[in-house]
Amino acid sequence: MIVGTVKEIKNHEYRVGLTPESVHELTAHGHRVLVESGAGEGIGAHDALYEKAGAEIVATAAEIFATADMIVKVKEPQAVERAMLRSGQILYTYLHLAPDPEQTRDLIASGATCIAYETVTDASGGLPLLKPMSQVAGRMAIQAGATALEKAHGGRGVLLGGVPGVLPAKVAVIGGGVVGFNAAQMAAGLGADVTILDRSPEVLEKLGMYFEARAKTRFSNRANLAECVAEADLVIGAVLIPGAAAPKLVSAEMLKTMKKGAVLVDVAIDQGGCFETSHATTHADPTYIVDGVVHYCVANMPGAVARTSTYALNNVTLPHALRIAELGWKEALRRDPHLREGLNVWDGKVTYRAVADDLGLPYSPAEEAIA
Ligand SMILES: NC(=O)c1ccc[n+]([C@@H]2O[C@H](COP(=O)([O-])OP(=O)(O)OC[C@H]3O[C@@H](n4cnc5c(N)ncnc54)[C@H](O)[C@@H]3O)[C@@H](O)[C@H]2O)c1
């Protein structure tokens, strides 16, 4: 198969669909890989590295869209890219179609086979191609929070781990899923005094067994949240109710009970945020202050660590890319019902029910596509 990767053109997107190592795997399996010149610059992977891995460097995205059987990307195709997609071509990338009628319309019109990373599942019902970005964001949340706690950034001048003779900072992590677990791991590793709140008894039990004495777990209800938030130096917002806007767990009233210079990192901001006073910020200007409390609410945290994020993403996307390249998309989807869940648009039809329902479009089951 001819597989192509283009330079991401979305604003401030530095990740890339295929690393040189992934290209090497594909070419070792006998596939031809086309890489747009400069596609890997954002992660420090120059054209020469891709060439060494067996890729052919191509000057323009247009040539790749015209030649490749499968395009492997990171972000959803932008309008100019969608215009270059061809009928029958495979597009394998994050799509997030439900809130994006324009993109959905263009993908339908293209006739391409569009497989979305974010809806591919695994045997435990998880979303394995979304998980690495939550791991990155969870870990980054502690770095971002630690920086914001410094005086120069408006924080109360507290070192997360303290030093011998001085108590560590109190960190409250609201939501103990992938983001929360990774945030708690980092905070506990730095020696902070960590409490994780969740409302799922199973999640609390797992966290309790994993962390033992290194972090406390607490059931998430109003009273416990209010107490933890008032005492915390750093609060991480990491809740998710799948498919719904994040619940506003920390109200503007609760914020007034917090210490001046305390920090809120609202990772759930991409779902609207779980603090009432949150609004989305960017890496260029990540924080603002309300009632003396520093808010960090960057909606695309993994973008700041494009290299780590690209490698983490490739670890989970490459095995499917290899199978699609080897078997063709139909057979790969026939054999793997979890990858089949990734099919969002095919031959001008929406094949993912939630996207069809949200956009009021007819739904055509993925099973029909592979029949
Ligand atoms: N800002 C970013 O760059 C970025 C990056 C990755 C993920 N995210 C977001 O982070 C959020 C968390 O993602 P995740 O992968 O950890 O989700 P997850 O499903 O793994 O975990 C969410 C957890 O929240 C818990 N929860 C739900 N309601 C709660 C409540 N009222 N109180 C306490 N806990 C509650 C659930 O039980 C679950 O354990 C999502 O909104 C996700 O989109 C943001």
Side-chain angles (χ1 to χ4, degrees):
M1 185 177 275
I2 306 176
V3 181
T5 281
V6 292
K7 192 171 173 60
E8 293 293 324
I9 55 173
K10 193 165 178 175
N11 200 12
H12 282 293
E13 180 54 63
Y14 303 105
R15 290 172 292 176
V16 61
L18 291 171
T19 61
E21 290 80 354
S22 295
V23 168
H24 191 161
E25 289 297 326
L26 284 159
T27 54
H29 279 80
H31 304 295
R32 194 177 152 204
V33 183
L34 312 178
V35 174
E36 184 182 353
S37 180
E41 291 296 330
I43 63 159
H46 308 299
D47 290 354
L49 268 179
Y50 281 101
E51 274 177 321
K52 210 172 145 202
E56 295 165 41
I57 302 300
V58 174
T60 65
E63 287 170 73
I64 293 180
F65 275 94
T67 316
D69 302 308
M70 171 162 66
I71 304 282
V72 181
K73 275 176 52 63
V74 178
K75 296 305 286 185
E76 71 279 4
Q78 304 301 292
V80 285
E81 295 172 319
R82 303 199 293 264
M84 293 189 281
L85 274 171
R86 289 177 291 114
S87 181
Q89 192 166 42
I90 305 162
L91 173 67
Y92 180 50
T93 190
Y94 286 121
L95 291 174
H96 298 287
L97 291 180
D100 195 346
E102 231 173 89
Q103 189 200 166
T104 309
R105 187 197 59 212
D106 289 353
L107 294 187
I108 288 171
S110 75
T113 300
C114 307
I115 302 171
Y117 294 161
E118 72 274 9
T119 63
V120 173
T121 54
D122 63 19
S124 60
L127 301 170
L129 308 200
L130 212 49
K131 189 174 182 181
M133 296 306 104
S134 286
Q135 291 171 327
V136 168
R139 288 172 178 231
M140 256 191 87
I142 298 303
Q143 278 181 211
T147 305
L149 274 169
E150 292 171 15
K151 288 301 288 183
H153 296 105
R156 60 193 303 261
V158 169
L159 184 64
L160 278 187
V163 286
V166 181
L167 288 177
K170 286 195 173 190
V171 178
V173 179
I174 312 176
V178 181
V179 168
F181 172 77
N182 280 274
Q185 254 190 335
M186 292 294 276
L190 287 169
D193 176 354
V194 183
T195 302
I196 314 164
L197 297 112
D198 204 292
R199 58 176 192 172
S200 156
E202 293 79 30
V203 168
L204 290 170
E205 194 177 330
K206 267 197 215 152
L207 293 168
M209 287 203 302
Y210 176 84
F211 284 103
E212 296 184 329
R214 289 177 297 128
K216 298 160 214 151
T217 58
R218 241 178 137 177
F219 187 73
S220 173
N221 58 28
R222 279 188 179 78
N224 289 347
L225 269 173
E227 199 176 298
C228 286
V229 165
E231 286 175 358
D233 299 291
L234 171 60
V235 182
I236 309 293
V239 299
L240 176 66
I241 298 173
K248 303 285 178 211
L249 298 176
V250 176
S251 64
E253 278 310 302
M254 273 164 92
L255 194 78
K256 294 192 202 308
T257 68
M258 290 185 71
K259 299 171 190 165
K260 298 296 167 214
V263 173
L264 298 180
V265 175
D266 200 346
V267 186
I269 190 67
D270 61 340
Q271 296 289 125
C274 56
F275 310 131
E276 193 182 347
T277 44
S278 292
H279 63 74
T281 58
T282 62
H283 288 294
D285 191 10
T287 60
Y288 60 92
I289 297 177
V290 180
D291 286 339
V293 176
V294 184
H295 291 52
Y296 175 103
C297 304
V298 175
N300 65 331
M301 294 171 70
V305 288
R307 194 175 157 85
T308 302
S309 299
T310 295
Y311 276 90
L313 185 60
N314 269 240
N315 288 345
V316 290
T317 55
L318 181 69
H320 290 304
L322 279 167
R323 266 191 300 275
I324 296 169
E326 180 151 339
L327 301 170
W329 69 269
K330 252 188 203 181
E331 187 55 25
L333 266 59
R334 237 180 243 137
R335 291 193 194 181
D336 183 349
H338 301 299
L339 180 59
R340 201 183 307 154
E341 297 273 355
L343 189 69
N344 276 226
V345 176
W346 161 75
D347 193 27
K349 303 175 186 76
V350 176
T351 50
Y352 196 78
R353 187 180 284 284
V355 171
D357 289 353
D358 279 9
L359 297 176
L361 292 167
Y363 164 67
S364 168
E367 282 65 29
E368 278 174 20
I370 58 166

